[in-house]
Amino acid sequence: MKTLGLIGGMSWESTAHYYARLNQLVGEHLGGLHSAKLLLYSVEFDDIQRLQHADDWEGAGRILASAGRQLERAGAEALLICANTMHRVAPAIAEAVQIPILSVIDATARAIRCQGFDTVALLGTRFTMEMAFYRNRLEQQHGLKVVIPDKPERDMIHEMIFTELCRGEIKPESRQRFFKIIEQLADQGAQGAILGCTEFSLFSTTGYAGIPLFDTTEIHVRMAVDWMLQKD
């Protein structure tokens, strides 16, 4: 089994879910008492979110690049950024290390293509929905058409992520509005919806019967487990 380095803490709520699912899936694949070989660097999220909101992505990139180098020195053979938004600084991390970064964007795009879809909704932080790094990769490298909510809905989702989900708070009214937004995007032609924020994995989808949802955390984890267990 290969050793995977996790750059986490963004937020720790979703990183805990990553850690649990990686171990659970390795156990399911191998049986017995098997668990995942993981190294975790958990950043101080308040520092990161301040840099995000100040549009200082270079500063955020330096922090995550340092984390990547330390994980590589500790024995990681690949890196997993346990966040969607912070793939914005994946190039800075890649320049700092000699090991691969397993991309949540590419893994999600492949899952969408496997379903035969070409038009998807993208929901996440305002940075993920509005900046080019995520949408352009989906559109230019994977040939997908991406639709996003209107600005009031984008602002609502962004606020909900940082003031509720990152603190482990699940409010029924926020969940209801979130899925209503997805249905609005389905009316605009979206065949499926990318849950492009790792904290969205905290939402229960019980009772939701709309368009297919692509849980990026679960997709990312499953791709990582396949990589960990593959033989050279």
mmCIF file of all heavy atoms in Angstrom, residues 126 154-165:
data_model
loop_
_atom_site.group_PDB
_atom_site.id
_atom_site.type_symbol
_atom_site.label_atom_id
_atom_site.label_comp_id
_atom_site.label_asym_id
_atom_site.label_seq_id
_atom_site.Cartn_x
_atom_site.Cartn_y
_atom_site.Cartn_z
ATOM 1 N N ARG A 126 -17.700 30.893 -3.067
ATOM 2 C CA ARG A 126 -17.726 31.891 -4.140
ATOM 3 C C ARG A 126 -16.479 31.782 -5.004
ATOM 4 O O ARG A 126 -16.547 31.940 -6.235
ATOM 5 C CB ARG A 126 -17.837 33.289 -3.526
ATOM 6 C CG ARG A 126 -18.038 34.408 -4.537
ATOM 7 C CD ARG A 126 -18.476 35.704 -3.881
ATOM 8 N NE ARG A 126 -17.510 36.166 -2.893
ATOM 9 C CZ ARG A 126 -17.789 36.336 -1.608
ATOM 10 N NH1 ARG A 126 -18.984 36.062 -1.137
ATOM 11 N NH2 ARG A 126 -16.858 36.783 -0.775
ATOM 12 N N ARG A 154 -25.194 32.548 -4.989
ATOM 13 C CA ARG A 154 -23.776 32.281 -4.733
ATOM 14 C C ARG A 154 -23.361 32.861 -3.387
ATOM 15 O O ARG A 154 -22.642 32.223 -2.607
ATOM 16 C CB ARG A 154 -22.902 32.878 -5.847
ATOM 17 C CG ARG A 154 -23.108 32.249 -7.211
ATOM 18 C CD ARG A 154 -21.948 32.525 -8.155
ATOM 19 N NE ARG A 154 -21.677 33.932 -8.389
ATOM 20 C CZ ARG A 154 -22.223 34.658 -9.361
ATOM 21 N NH1 ARG A 154 -23.107 34.104 -10.181
ATOM 22 N NH2 ARG A 154 -21.887 35.931 -9.532
ATOM 23 N N ASP A 155 -23.815 34.078 -3.122
ATOM 24 C CA ASP A 155 -23.472 34.718 -1.845
ATOM 25 C C ASP A 155 -24.055 33.948 -0.671
ATOM 26 O O ASP A 155 -23.397 33.779 0.368
ATOM 27 C CB ASP A 155 -23.985 36.159 -1.827
ATOM 28 C CG ASP A 155 -23.220 37.071 -2.781
ATOM 29 O OD1 ASP A 155 -22.117 36.678 -3.234
ATOM 30 O OD2 ASP A 155 -23.730 38.173 -3.074
ATOM 31 N N MET A 156 -25.278 33.465 -0.824
ATOM 32 C CA MET A 156 -25.917 32.708 0.256
ATOM 33 C C MET A 156 -25.156 31.422 0.545
ATOM 34 O O MET A 156 -24.894 31.061 1.696
ATOM 35 C CB MET A 156 -27.376 32.395 -0.124
ATOM 36 C CG MET A 156 -28.103 31.452 0.833
ATOM 37 S SD MET A 156 -27.983 29.714 0.270
ATOM 38 C CE MET A 156 -28.586 28.856 1.720
ATOM 39 N N ILE A 157 -24.774 30.701 -0.515
ATOM 40 C CA ILE A 157 -24.049 29.438 -0.344
ATOM 41 C C ILE A 157 -22.690 29.693 0.309
ATOM 42 O O ILE A 157 -22.283 28.975 1.227
ATOM 43 C CB ILE A 157 -23.882 28.732 -1.703
ATOM 44 C CG1 ILE A 157 -25.253 28.270 -2.234
ATOM 45 C CG2 ILE A 157 -22.942 27.530 -1.582
ATOM 46 C CD1 ILE A 157 -25.213 27.781 -3.672
ATOM 47 N N HIS A 158 -21.998 30.720 -0.147
ATOM 48 C CA HIS A 158 -20.680 31.053 0.413
ATOM 49 C C HIS A 158 -20.797 31.359 1.904
ATOM 50 O O HIS A 158 -19.998 30.853 2.716
ATOM 51 C CB HIS A 158 -20.105 32.265 -0.336
ATOM 52 C CG HIS A 158 -18.726 32.645 0.060
ATOM 53 N ND1 HIS A 158 -17.601 32.106 -0.525
ATOM 54 C CD2 HIS A 158 -18.269 33.519 1.002
ATOM 55 C CE1 HIS A 158 -16.518 32.633 0.017
ATOM 56 N NE2 HIS A 158 -16.896 33.499 0.955
ATOM 57 N N GLU A 159 -21.752 32.172 2.264
ATOM 58 C CA GLU A 159 -21.952 32.525 3.664
ATOM 59 C C GLU A 159 -22.293 31.295 4.497
ATOM 60 O O GLU A 159 -21.784 31.121 5.610
ATOM 61 C CB GLU A 159 -23.074 33.565 3.770
ATOM 62 C CG GLU A 159 -23.343 34.057 5.171
ATOM 63 C CD GLU A 159 -22.279 35.006 5.695
ATOM 64 O OE1 GLU A 159 -21.405 35.425 4.909
ATOM 65 O OE2 GLU A 159 -22.327 35.336 6.898
ATOM 66 N N MET A 160 -23.136 30.438 3.961
ATOM 67 C CA MET A 160 -23.531 29.224 4.672
ATOM 68 C C MET A 160 -22.325 28.322 4.934
ATOM 69 O O MET A 160 -22.183 27.748 6.024
ATOM 70 C CB MET A 160 -24.572 28.457 3.847
ATOM 71 C CG MET A 160 -24.986 27.110 4.420
ATOM 72 S SD MET A 160 -25.993 26.177 3.252
ATOM 73 C CE MET A 160 -24.819 25.839 1.937
ATOM 74 N N ILE A 161 -21.439 28.208 3.966
ATOM 75 C CA ILE A 161 -20.262 27.360 4.135
ATOM 76 C C ILE A 161 -19.403 27.853 5.302
ATOM 77 O O ILE A 161 -19.020 27.074 6.189
ATOM 78 C CB ILE A 161 -19.434 27.323 2.830
ATOM 79 C CG1 ILE A 161 -20.184 26.543 1.743
ATOM 80 C CG2 ILE A 161 -18.057 26.689 3.087
ATOM 81 C CD1 ILE A 161 -19.579 26.690 0.356
ATOM 82 N N PHE A 162 -19.124 29.157 5.308
ATOM 83 C CA PHE A 162 -18.165 29.680 6.286
ATOM 84 C C PHE A 162 -18.768 29.923 7.667
ATOM 85 O O PHE A 162 -18.053 29.829 8.669
ATOM 86 C CB PHE A 162 -17.514 30.956 5.747
ATOM 87 C CG PHE A 162 -16.439 30.688 4.740
ATOM 88 C CD1 PHE A 162 -16.732 30.693 3.379
ATOM 89 C CD2 PHE A 162 -15.145 30.397 5.135
ATOM 90 C CE1 PHE A 162 -15.747 30.429 2.443
ATOM 91 C CE2 PHE A 162 -14.153 30.131 4.209
ATOM 92 C CZ PHE A 162 -14.452 30.137 2.854
ATOM 93 N N THR A 163 -20.060 30.210 7.732
ATOM 94 C CA THR A 163 -20.647 30.513 9.046
ATOM 95 C C THR A 163 -21.381 29.329 9.660
ATOM 96 O O THR A 163 -21.666 29.347 10.861
ATOM 97 C CB THR A 163 -21.622 31.707 8.948
ATOM 98 O OG1 THR A 163 -22.723 31.360 8.093
ATOM 99 C CG2 THR A 163 -20.913 32.938 8.417
ATOM 100 N N GLU A 164 -21.667 28.312 8.846
ATOM 101 C CA GLU A 164 -22.400 27.155 9.366
ATOM 102 C C GLU A 164 -21.609 25.854 9.186
ATOM 103 O O GLU A 164 -21.157 25.248 10.149
ATOM 104 C CB GLU A 164 -23.776 27.044 8.686
ATOM 105 C CG GLU A 164 -24.688 28.232 8.940
ATOM 106 C CD GLU A 164 -25.977 28.176 8.138
ATOM 107 O OE1 GLU A 164 -26.410 27.059 7.781
ATOM 108 O OE2 GLU A 164 -26.545 29.253 7.851
ATOM 109 N N LEU A 165 -21.425 25.431 7.954
ATOM 110 C CA LEU A 165 -20.867 24.097 7.706
ATOM 111 C C LEU A 165 -19.449 23.944 8.234
ATOM 112 O O LEU A 165 -19.103 22.887 8.783
ATOM 113 C CB LEU A 165 -20.916 23.781 6.213
ATOM 114 C CG LEU A 165 -22.309 23.707 5.581
ATOM 115 C CD1 LEU A 165 -22.204 23.346 4.106
ATOM 116 C CD2 LEU A 165 -23.201 22.719 6.309
#
